[in-house]
Amino acid sequence: MHTVAVLALDQVIPFDLSTPIEVFTRTRLPDGRPGYRIRVCAEHPETDAGAFTLRAPWGLDGLRDADTIIVPGTATPGGALSPAVREALRAAAAEGTRIASICSGTFPLAATGLLDGLRVTTHWAAADVLAAAYPEVEVDPDVLYVDNGRILTSAGAAAGLDLCLHMIRRDYGSAVAADAARLSVMPLEREGGQAQFVPHDTPPTPRGSALEPLLAWLRDNLSRDLSLADIAGHAGMSTRTLIRRFRDQTGSTPLQWLHRARVRQAQHLLETTEHSVERIAAQVGFGSPTSFRDRFKRTTGVSPHAYRRTFGRRRVPDAGGRGAMSPGGREA
């Protein structure tokens, strides 16, 4: 039987801790046998889990012969990793143990050096912090999980469930994984990545910078067909100077920033209106619905229609029998 050791670090996030325990405990093989044996391990007899104190039945010795080790996220991802935990994880990796992280669990895993040179992910809100703290790690903030073979990382919260289902499929095949997904009321493969969950105000907008008036003007003119020359002309500078200042102050180019702002506005319209995709494409300045769909999917990982199904509003009958809108994006 496959042994999964879940490592509970200090300030472990209960949701991240419980996800692998629940998913793997409920996994059954076609003959009804359990697919996994679960161990909850911790460095000390008691671990602070925020709302409660956890008493793990296993110490770090429970990691030694495990087939898989999972490192859940913690509320203090930047905290120091103890030498004992670092060495235990490195020793397990040297033995070929599969090691996976959930959410901010990528931080302690990165602190071991095991992620150096690898592409990884974490919760989108912590991606920049992870990249700054560990420049030798390639951080991809847009995906739900990354599988590097023996090292796997996942994004925030529910993405840990995606990762667990992915590992079940690797271990026992799609049929067993699909059954585990049904028990979790989850699709075996979710469409898109983290980008669809990022708040709409994410295009870089440096407060107090010289570009702030220009960025405000761009947001007010998203529906216009703006070229680089148009933007430079409004700013009163050459295109070369404009590009240099944009890179310095936003980390992006003017047109990249504009495209992202248009997509974020489109997300808002898909969530809050019944406008057609074609109308929204025109409202946010795309020359054609096709180019809008391509750019939207490239940015969010899903199509506009799929995004609306997930985050839009649906009709429910009001007191007079007329349709009113509520979250969900489908007709009631």
Side-chain angles (χ1 to χ4, degrees):
M1 187 185 301
H2 192 112
T3 299
V4 176
V6 183
L7 177 58
L9 299 174
D10 195 42
Q11 289 289 304
V12 65
I13 297 172
F15 187 98
D16 296 352
L17 176 73
S18 64
T19 294
I21 295 172
E22 283 295 303
V23 175
F24 289 119
T25 298
R26 295 175 181 273
T27 300
R28 291 291 181 269
L29 304 184
D31 61 4
R33 290 181 297 118
Y36 297 91
R37 177 190 300 110
I38 305 299
R39 297 174 182 169
V40 178
C41 307
E43 182 178 9
H44 304 294
E46 292 190 350
T47 300
D48 183 2
F52 57 88
T53 298
L54 172 71
R55 294 182 180 178
W58 291 81
L60 295 181
D61 58 322
L63 306 180
R64 289 176 189 157
D65 61 345
D67 299 292
T68 296
I69 296 171
I70 296 181
V71 184
T74 71
T76 55
L81 188 66
S82 77
V85 172
R86 180 184 294 105
E87 290 310 309
L89 290 173
R90 290 186 63 86
E95 291 294 322
T97 304
R98 181 172 66 184
I99 303 178
S101 66
I102 295 176
C103 193
S104 59
T106 309
F107 281 79
L109 204 51
T112 67
L114 294 174
L115 302 185
D116 290 1
L118 297 181
R119 174 172 163 264
V120 306
T121 193
T122 189
H123 193 291
W124 60 264
D128 288 345
V129 178
L130 180 67
Y134 301 98
E136 59 282 342
V137 177
E138 180 189 348
V139 181
D140 186 343
D142 293 333
V143 295
L144 295 175
Y145 60 83
V146 177
D147 183 348
N148 286 293
R150 286 293 174 182
I151 302 291
L152 303 90
T153 56
S154 72
L161 183 52
D162 295 285
L163 178 63
C164 290
L165 294 173
H166 171 71
M167 288 191 285
I168 294 170
R169 184 168 53 187
R170 272 184 47 176
D171 296 338
Y172 294 114
S174 295
V176 173
D179 184 60
R182 282 191 291 271
L183 287 173
S184 301
V185 197
M186 274 281 292
L188 184 54
E189 290 265 3
R190 273 202 292 166
E191 189 176 7
Q194 286 197 88
Q196 60 187 303
F197 303 105
V198 178
H200 306 317
D201 58 354
T202 52
T205 309
R207 296 292 180 185
S209 77
L211 285 181
E212 191 170 357
L214 177 60
L215 299 182
W217 178 79
L218 287 173
R219 283 192 297 270
D220 291 340
N221 290 274
L222 293 178
S223 63
R224 292 180 54 186
D225 182 14
L226 296 172
S227 67
L228 186 61
D230 294 330
I231 300 172
H234 180 82
M237 61 183 74
S238 68
T239 56
R240 180 177 297 181
T241 300
L242 177 70
I243 292 171
R244 185 179 68 251
R245 291 189 181 178
F246 248 85
R247 286 199 180 280
D248 289 344
Q249 298 181 39
T250 72
S252 180
T253 69
L255 293 182
Q256 286 171 344
W257 192 96
L258 183 61
H259 286 319
R260 289 181 64 195
R262 284 171 168 163
V263 168
R264 300 310 181 205
Q265 178 63 15
Q267 287 178 286
H268 174 71
L269 293 172
L270 287 166
E271 291 177 20
T272 60
T273 75
E274 297 180 84
H275 298 170
S276 67
V277 169
E278 291 74 15
R279 179 177 174 183
I280 291 174
Q283 285 178 290
V284 298
F286 284 92
S288 72
T290 299
S291 64
F292 167 60
R293 290 186 180 96
D294 290 345
R295 176 64 64 174
F296 190 94
K297 187 163 187 176
R298 211 180 315 162
T299 301
T300 67
V302 296
S303 69
H305 286 294
Y307 185 88
R308 173 170 269 166
R309 284 198 301 271
T310 302
F311 297 104
R313 300 185 298 174
R314 61 185 173 91
R315 288 192 172 277
V316 295
D318 60 18
R322 296 180 299 276
M325 297 299 289
S326 71
R330 289 177 293 275
E331 296 293 328

